[in-house]
Amino acid sequence: DPGILHSTIDDEIVLFSGDTNSYFNLNRTGSIIWELIENPISVQELINQLATRFQIAPSEITNDVMEYIIPLEKKGIIKKSVS
């Protein structure tokens, strides 16, 4: 989203939404997710890439990923696209 500004500080990313005048701080894992979704990616592909990166089964992180991205979507930070 072009209305989102972000800056990396150490292993974290700070986001600013100009639309809502809100700041969001992403921890290391959140920062990795942010980097992976900078280009369009399906939720399943996101889960698969994270599972590979952290060497765990996709089924073990699916709920965690969803708990992370759903609030970002609800706050307008990320948008679901339909292909």
Side-chain angles (χ1 to χ4, degrees):
D1 182 339
I4 304 296
L5 302 174
H6 67 280
S7 179
T8 302
I9 302 171
D10 296 323
D11 287 342
E12 299 183 347
I13 293 179
V14 177
L15 305 174
F16 174 73
S17 171
D19 297 336
T20 62
N21 290 323
S22 301
Y23 284 94
F24 303 92
N25 188 43
L26 305 180
N27 62 19
R28 181 177 173 266
T29 303
S31 297
I32 292 168
I33 291 172
W34 182 258
E35 290 169 1
L36 290 172
I37 64 173
E38 282 189 294
N39 294 310
I41 186 172
S42 71
V43 172
Q44 189 59 54
E45 183 58 28
L46 173 63
I47 290 166
N48 290 342
Q49 286 190 29
L50 289 168
T52 299
R53 186 173 194 150
F54 293 108
Q55 299 178 347
I56 55 178
S59 60
E60 292 182 41
I61 63 166
T62 298
N63 287 339
D64 293 335
V65 170
M66 297 309 294
E67 287 175 5
Y68 187 82
I69 63 174
I70 288 172
L72 290 177
E73 183 181 6
K74 286 182 179 178
K75 292 176 183 176
I77 299 296
I78 61 174
K79 294 182 180 154
K80 199 183 283 186
S81 69
V82 179
S83 301

